[in-house]
Amino acid sequence: MSILKSLLSVLTISAVIGSGTAMQACAANNAVTDIYDSTIFSESKVGESGGVVPSVWTVGSSSDLNIKTDDTNAEASSETPFNVFDIYDAHQQYVKLHSGGADLMYRKCEGIDVSYSQGKIDWQAVKDSGIDFAIIRAGYGNANKYPNQIDTWFKYNMEEAQKVGMDVGIYWYSYAMDVEGAYEEAESCYNAIKDYTLQYPVYFDIEEPSQSRLSTFEISAMIDAFCSRLESKGYYVGLYSYASLLTTKVYQSILDKYDIWVAHYGVSSPAYSNDYGIWQYSSTGQINGISTPVDLDHCYKNYPYIISPETYDPDGSETGISPVQQPASTDNVVAKGIDVSVWQTKVDWNKVAKSGVDFAIIRAGYGNLASQKDKYFDANMEGAKKAGIDCGVYWYSYASSPEDAVLEANACYEVIKGHKLAYPVYYSLEDECLNSLTNEQLTAVVDAFCSTLEKKGYYVGVKSYASLLSSRIKADIFNKYDVWVAHYGVARPSFTKGFNMWQYTNNGNINGINGIVNCDYAYINFPKIMKEAHLNGF
């Protein structure tokens, strides 16, 4: 049994499970190439690019936000503490007391969202294709002032969808640039929908590029103005936007207050770490009864039950447990770190330590010669250790065979043998030259490198981007050696076989480092393992 597995069974350390794809590469012999996974992240109906990793951004406090809305006035002030309304909580309490508890709160169902862009829809064909619900655009902007801004197909879509038994909700597309504008949009939305019965929420759709330039305060105030106004009219309301805006431009108190419908395409789960009820996962769906591409949605909350518990008729698909695949929570993070190489040049490690970095994985070198040691390796190791930062290393591979991998392992050993390493020695698989190897050959290369260093008393792991780990390496390798997975712009990596370190961004900014740097989470206490097992020079 390998060192890793025997240690984990003795110390009862559990691994973190994940799911995703994407990654940066570093140096090639004397030339450097950057290699990225082929996944392109795009989101929202207006094409906002790429998600961001939740915990990388610091969202502003809502303690200075106050929204006042009535029939004549809507304003935001920074002088009065933000007052969170209790309507949502009161409704949830009502549900709990009058509808048999939480056993029916969740179910997985499939939906679409539509507007005039889909033209005339055959709703019976849509229903027969397996679609459970539709979120229908009622209109946009201030339709009280400009009546032509009611969606031209809204009335048809509402009546025909409900005629065939489709559950429906509403979204209102916002162009508001201030609280007053959002309040007017809420009034316009109410006038458009007041004669309809809804089984899903009324969503405030905020995604205009011009709105992204507003402050967190302004956007949060607008959301609350719209949602609280419709809530006061008796509607169950929610917020729709793309993952990066929700993560960076909305106060947490607003996210907690209203239900979330998040848009993020081309990923295994949205890059949004808070609770959400609906995920718009594609904008290019093909559905019978609709002649154009259409947005597709997964719903996880049982909105027909939540909104009308007294009239809800269970069908057996309900559950008391949310089917949302939760992101790799930072609550499980044991340590936060970075990985560096020659490309960060001279690092001020004292400043790095003061910025909250616990560990650093430092490039030792590349290729099959000890002379290919990273030229900043010694300085980085000395500086990090003096600053109290625990260190591990990685070796960048160009191996074309197991024999080459053994040479690389021995070269790595010559470079690191005088150091105590509190974190593993990682074999970095990211160079384009590895694409010429078959899966069997690449797996043999990994095993040759890792087993060679393991025999010398090192705790060894393999590092690459999620798609390579998932598709190119045989699973038995992950039972023998630890994994450091790279995947950016997602809530969790799409690697499902277990990992103990995640490189979650290549765009970090850390005091003491000029330029950007890769940032990492560690999920087990590596220093404890190394010291207690007398590995990696201890």
Side-chain angles (χ1 to χ4, degrees):
M1 179 178 287
S2 71
I3 291 175
L4 167 62
K5 290 301 171 185
S6 58
L7 280 172
L8 295 189
S9 62
V10 171
L11 297 175
T12 63
I13 309 268
S14 60
V16 174
I17 304 300
S19 35
T21 61
M23 155 93 220
Q24 165 195 350
C26 283
N29 291 321
N30 294 320
V32 180
T33 59
D34 284 339
I35 303 163
Y36 292 86
D37 188 60
S38 59
T39 301
I40 298 174
F41 304 110
S42 62
E43 12 175 26
S44 94
K45 291 188 279 290
V46 296
E48 178 74 10
S49 63
V52 296
V53 175
S55 54
V56 174
W57 298 83
T58 302
V59 181
S61 167
S62 63
S63 61
D64 61 348
L65 179 63
N66 180 58
I67 308 300
K68 179 182 178 182
T69 57
D70 54 37
D71 290 338
T72 59
N73 184 29
E75 64 182 16
S77 170
S78 60
E79 299 177 358
T80 308
F82 176 51
N83 178 29
V84 177
F85 297 92
D86 294 327
I87 296 174
Y88 176 81
D89 291 338
H91 179 73
Q92 295 305 303
Q93 182 66 16
Y94 180 86
V95 169
K96 181 177 179 181
L97 293 175
H98 293 85
S99 54
D103 291 345
L104 305 178
M105 290 293 291
Y106 301 101
R107 66 170 181 164
K108 178 77 178 296
C109 53
E110 303 304 320
I112 57 175
D113 54 277
V114 300
S115 69
Y116 77 98
S117 298
Q118 278 67 51
K120 188 173 183 178
I121 296 173
D122 182 340
W123 282 102
Q124 187 62 59
V126 171
K127 179 75 171 176
D128 293 342
S129 71
I131 296 300
D132 303 301
F133 70 94
I135 310 299
I136 296 171
R137 189 178 81 151
Y140 60 94
N142 185 349
N144 285 344
K145 185 175 181 181
Y146 305 104
N148 63 327
Q149 292 180 179
I150 300 295
D151 189 289
T152 52
W153 285 95
F154 171 64
K155 185 175 185 293
Y156 171 86
N157 283 334
M158 288 295 293
E159 292 176 356
E160 295 302 311
Q162 292 191 314
K163 192 179 292 184
V164 302
M166 183 78 68
D167 289 333
V168 297
I170 295 296
Y171 76 89
W172 191 268
Y173 192 96
S174 174
Y175 285 97
M177 296 299 289
D178 54 30
V179 166
E180 288 74 20
Y183 186 84
E184 290 299 326
E185 290 181 337
E187 289 294 308
S188 299
C189 181
Y190 171 71
N191 288 331
I193 69 176
K194 62 185 178 182
D195 294 329
Y196 296 98
T197 299
L198 306 177
Q199 297 77 40
Y200 277 73
V202 177
Y203 289 98
F204 184 52
D205 179 349
I206 182 166
E207 55 178 296
E208 271 296 295
S210 59
Q211 292 169 327
S212 67
R213 295 191 287 271
L214 297 174
S215 69
T216 301
F217 172 86
E218 291 170 313
I219 289 177
S220 299
M222 287 162 47
I223 293 166
D224 204 41
F226 181 97
C227 291
S228 63
R229 182 56 179 162
L230 281 167
E231 202 171 51
S232 72
K233 299 283 192 180
Y235 288 95
Y236 193 102
V237 294
L239 167 63
Y240 166 92
S241 195
Y242 46 91
S244 55
L245 184 142
L246 292 171
T247 304
T248 62
K249 286 288 190 175
V250 185
Y251 286 147
Q252 186 64 47
S253 60
I254 297 296
L255 298 174
D256 292 341
K257 185 177 177 182
Y258 303 113
D259 270 43
I260 301 299
W261 174 18
V262 58
H264 197 171
Y265 312 146
V267 294
S268 59
S269 60
Y272 176 72
S273 61
N274 292 284
D275 187 35
Y276 54 92
I278 299 179
W279 169 24
Q280 184 187 82
Y281 64 91
S282 174
S283 62
T284 57
Q286 299 292 327
I287 299 294
N288 288 341
I290 301 178
S291 60
T292 67
V294 64
D295 298 332
L296 301 178
D297 304 276
H298 295 313
C299 183
Y300 305 99
K301 290 186 177 181
N302 188 359
Y303 286 113
Y305 166 72
I306 293 171
I307 290 171
S308 300
E310 300 90 345
T311 60
Y312 181 76
D313 184 18
D315 63 9
S317 63
E318 303 86 355
T319 177
I321 301 173
S322 174
V324 171
Q325 184 182 31
Q326 294 296 337
S329 172
T330 55
D331 292 341
N332 297 323
V333 170
V334 172
K336 298 178 181 180
I338 58 175
D339 54 279
V340 300
S341 70
V342 63
W343 305 110
Q344 277 68 49
T345 64
K346 187 176 181 179
V347 175
D348 186 332
W349 286 102
N350 288 324
K351 289 183 178 178
V352 170
K354 290 176 182 178
S355 72
V357 170
D358 303 305
F359 69 89
I361 309 300
I362 295 170
R363 189 177 80 152
Y366 59 94
N368 57 22
L369 297 174
S371 60
Q372 292 173 299
K373 177 173 71 173
D374 188 293
K375 72 176 186 177
Y376 276 87
F377 174 70
D378 291 329
N380 282 332
M381 289 293 292
E382 181 181 359
K385 289 183 177 181
K386 283 184 177 179
I389 294 175
D390 290 323
C391 296
V393 301
Y394 73 91
W395 193 267
Y396 191 96
S397 175
Y398 293 101
S400 60
S401 67
E403 292 75 19
D404 282 346
V406 170
L407 292 175
E408 290 187 332
N410 288 329
C412 178
Y413 174 71
E414 289 301 315
V415 172
I416 68 175
K417 64 183 179 181
H419 296 278
K420 292 182 179 180
L421 303 174
Y423 280 75
V425 177
Y426 289 104
Y427 195 36
S428 178
L429 308 172
E430 39 191 302
D431 197 79
E432 287 177 319
C433 68
L434 302 178
N435 294 338
S436 64
L437 303 179
T438 67
N439 290 1
E440 290 75 14
Q441 290 170 332
L442 186 58
T443 299
V445 162
V446 173
D447 201 27
F449 179 94
C450 292
S451 62
T452 299
L453 280 172
E454 192 174 66
K455 290 172 185 176
K456 296 180 183 293
Y458 287 92
Y459 188 114
V460 192
V462 56
K463 186 256 181 149
S464 193
Y465 43 93
S467 60
L468 183 146
L469 293 170
S470 298
S471 63
R472 300 290 319 279
I473 308 296
K474 290 189 174 181
D476 60 345
I477 286 293
F478 309 126
N479 296 326
K480 298 171 69 174
Y481 310 113
D482 216 320
V483 173
W484 175 17
V485 60
H487 193 179
Y488 315 142
V490 294
R492 59 185 293 141
S494 64
F495 175 71
T496 60
K497 297 179 178 66
F499 56 90
N500 285 320
M501 192 177 297
W502 172 22
Q503 185 185 81
Y504 63 87
T505 183
N506 65 342
N507 197 33
N509 287 286
I510 300 293
N511 195 23
I513 296 178
N514 293 321
I516 59 176
V517 65
N518 301 330
C519 295
D520 308 275
Y521 292 138
Y523 293 95
I524 63 175
N525 189 340
F526 283 114
K528 183 174 185 290
I529 292 174
M530 306 311 168
K531 292 170 186 175
E532 292 186 358
H534 304 293
L535 293 168
N536 290 14
F538 285 96

